[in-house]
Amino acid sequence: MQKFFIIATLLLLLDACKVPQALQYSSIGNIQVQSIDMKSTDGVVELSFYNPNAFAVQLNQVEAILSINNQVAGKAKMDTLIQMPGLANSSLPVRIQLDNQLLLGQSMQLLLGGSIPYQIEGFAMAGKKKPRWKIPFSQRGAFTRQMLEKLFR
């Protein structure tokens, strides 16, 4: 009986110390433009993620790079503390800075009804104390005119 309790305790400890699984990117939502100049556009975008872990993950940093047609279009960053519940979707408000020259160069393709391939790659830092975990995420897709019209409404 004593061996059973020791084994059960060890199994619980091993399960409690699991490294979080990678977050699964879901979508981009609500883009808020805060400032525009000749070189860049600054704003806030909501990135939605699914937490596939059975436990809540506390994120304290998110960094991502947005590429359009395999060219870096912008960088996103979040430094606030956010609790993501386990087995659930969560939206994260992330500051983003976009390269206006690249965006303008690609906009004609959208106006003509085409689509523009994009890729978002980044990581989130999770954990309250050390050890902290670096959780990667990546997503490929294509922007369409209809998709961007919904985002900017």
Side-chain angles (χ1 to χ4, degrees):
M1 189 69 161
Q2 191 175 20
K3 286 183 183 179
F4 172 76
F5 286 118
I6 291 172
I7 291 172
T9 303
L10 285 174
L11 288 174
L12 283 173
L13 285 174
L14 286 174
D15 190 50
C17 297
K18 250 199 279 192
V19 175
Q21 296 177 37
L23 301 175
Q24 297 169 3
Y25 169 83
S26 299
S27 64
I28 296 176
N30 294 342
I31 296 175
Q32 298 172 0
V33 175
Q34 295 181 328
S35 68
I36 299 175
D37 61 29
M38 293 301 286
K39 291 183 178 184
S40 65
T41 299
D42 294 334
V44 176
V45 62
E46 282 187 11
L47 298 179
S48 294
F49 293 94
Y50 176 72
N51 177 7
N53 301 291
F55 50 89
V57 174
Q58 187 172 20
L59 302 181
N60 44 34
Q61 180 184 357
V62 174
E63 290 187 22
I65 294 177
L66 171 64
S67 298
I68 297 175
N69 268 342
N70 296 319
Q71 296 177 320
V72 174
K75 296 182 179 180
K77 190 170 191 171
M78 181 198 80
D79 286 328
T80 55
L81 194 64
I82 295 208
Q83 187 84 6
M84 289 184 67
L87 304 173
N89 283 311
S90 295
S91 292
L92 309 175
V94 179
R95 294 199 167 282
I96 191 163
Q97 185 174 43
L98 299 169
D99 178 352
N100 284 344
Q101 285 184 325
L102 182 62
L103 292 176
L104 287 173
Q106 300 294 325
S107 62
M108 186 58 74
Q109 193 171 345
L110 281 179
L111 291 174
L112 296 173
S115 63
I116 300 174
Y118 72 87
Q119 179 174 354
I120 297 174
E121 283 190 312
F123 67 88
M125 295 300 290
K128 295 179 190 175
K129 301 176 184 172
K130 296 196 180 201
R132 288 181 37 194
W133 297 281
K134 189 174 187 176
I135 305 172
F137 59 87
S138 179
Q139 175 69 27
R140 289 180 184 266
F143 288 119
T144 62
R145 183 176 172 182
Q146 293 81 15
M147 179 182 173
L148 291 179
E149 285 173 356
K150 283 183 186 177
L151 290 175
F152 285 102
R153 282 187 182 166

